[in-house]
Amino acid sequence: MRAITQNEFGGPEILTLTDLPKPAPLPTEVLVRVHAAGVNPVDWKTRAGGGMAGLQTMPLVLGWDVSGVVEEVGFGVTTLKPGDEVYGMPRFPHAASAYAEYVTAPSRHFAKKPESLTHVEAAALPLAALTAWQILKDTADVQPGQKVLITAAAGGVGHLAVQIAKARGAYVIGTAREPKHAFLKDLGADDVIDYTKGVYAGTDVDVLVDLVGGASPAPVRGGGLFVGVPSGVDSAIRDDIRTSPILVEPDRAGLEAIAALVESGELRVHVDATFPLEEAGKAHALGETGRTQGKIVLETL
């Protein structure tokens, strides 16, 4: 099978198209023919020696977001069968090797793909949408009427977090450069702030989701929650608010809830660019500009 490999940490140019043996599923695993693989910041950070690099071995096949079709099931699998269209974020933070034509992973790391989405659209969802879901539902338990402030709101996680927060009944404030404000308003953001011109002046948000790092806790009301995604958050940042780091986990129930939001029309994913598998390096270079809107996806078919 074709796969993108690297034998060292470095820049996008080290990503190489290679022929590898097709994997076989172990008991409780499924073999998935990958149709598309999402590209995330953790991918290029890991490629360069950051991110989840400490958990990986060489040669490394990057990628965690998968959308494809089950081709074979291992002994004991009861939830999926050959021919099922699935999506998921298997094995994270250990290697899932999604930049390839086939992956194997525990069956319960996948869920049925939303029927209304293409494989490219579905591959853009798992890691980013699960991150947003696990923050807003599992960690913050956002309730109707609460105020949620999201930094980098037009990015991969951010644009999905805006919609998930809205679906939970929140008043949503997002930060982004001015050209992306219309995009966020269309997604349902109630207020949008150009972070290059100032910061949110209020002091009454219930939840602040910092997707950039280094956000001020000043907008969070006493008793509110500050969630730091890229590198966590100092628990002593303010003694009158709660703080929480988060690292996304494989989550079949979360994937099913996200699929339900997609099918109800409450959640849509924006794919900024697609590349063929062999151009993974170009996809990484684009992502590292920090100027994309939504997600980048590799197509393997």
Side-chain angles (χ1 to χ4, degrees):
M1 70 172 184
R2 297 185 309 145
I4 297 294
T5 63
Q6 63 181 89
N7 293 304
E8 60 183 336
F9 297 119
E13 70 280 356
I14 68 172
L15 297 176
T16 304
L17 185 67
T18 309
D19 189 50
L20 295 179
K22 179 179 172 182
L26 297 173
T28 75
E29 292 186 345
V30 292
L31 172 69
V32 175
R33 175 63 167 100
V34 180
H35 286 227
V39 178
N40 295 285
V42 68
D43 298 12
W44 57 76
K45 291 175 183 178
T46 300
R47 183 213 71 226
M52 298 299 147
L55 298 176
Q56 316 306 320
T57 58
M58 298 294 176
L60 172 62
V61 179
L62 285 168
W64 284 277
D65 277 341
V66 173
S67 184
V69 178
V70 175
E71 188 165 290
E72 185 181 344
V73 300
F75 176 79
V77 173
T78 61
T79 58
L80 296 172
K81 64 183 184 305
D84 284 344
E85 294 188 320
V86 296
Y87 80 132
M89 184 202 67
R91 301 189 188 279
F92 189 83
H94 301 283
S97 304
Y99 292 7
E101 292 181 316
Y102 291 91
V103 298
T104 56
S107 64
R108 293 175 187 269
H109 286 190
F110 294 99
K112 298 289 183 64
K113 178 184 77 67
E115 293 183 3
S116 62
L117 297 186
T118 66
H119 282 291
V120 166
E121 292 167 329
L125 274 174
L127 191 147
L130 281 175
T131 299
W133 179 259
Q134 290 171 7
I135 291 170
L136 296 164
K137 191 269 183 184
D138 297 340
T139 304
D141 189 24
V142 169
Q143 298 297 307
Q146 289 188 317
K147 280 189 177 181
V148 177
L149 173 59
I150 300 166
T151 67
V157 175
H159 86 291
L160 299 169
V162 166
Q163 298 172 79
I164 291 171
K166 285 300 297 181
R168 295 185 65 81
Y171 182 95
V172 180
I173 306 158
T175 71
R177 290 177 177 266
E178 194 279 331
K180 298 178 180 180
H181 286 195
F183 170 66
L184 289 175
K185 288 284 189 177
D186 186 55
L187 294 178
D190 297 287
D191 193 9
V192 187
I193 300 161
D194 186 343
Y195 65 87
T196 68
K197 297 179 180 179
V199 297
Y200 180 63
T203 56
D204 59 348
V205 303
D206 297 282
V207 180
L208 194 160
V209 182
D210 182 16
L211 300 173
V212 179
S216 169
V220 185
R221 66 169 180 79
L225 175 65
F226 186 115
V227 182
V229 178
S231 55
V233 58
D234 185 351
S235 60
I237 196 168
R238 249 179 61 192
D239 60 11
D240 65 332
I241 63 173
R242 295 171 293 135
T243 61
S244 178
I246 188 168
L247 186 63
V248 67
E249 303 174 53
D251 181 359
R252 180 186 173 198
L255 289 170
E256 291 173 341
I258 289 162
L261 288 176
V262 170
E263 301 297 24
S264 70
E266 296 174 278
L267 182 66
R268 65 184 191 269
V269 61
H270 178 78
V271 177
D272 191 75
T274 61
F275 293 85
L277 180 64
E278 60 268 23
E279 294 184 2
K282 291 182 179 179
H284 277 218
L286 175 62
E288 287 179 295
T289 66
R291 292 291 177 261
T292 54
Q293 184 169 284
K295 294 296 299 292
I296 300 169
V297 177
L298 299 176
E299 296 186 83
T300 60
L301 283 179

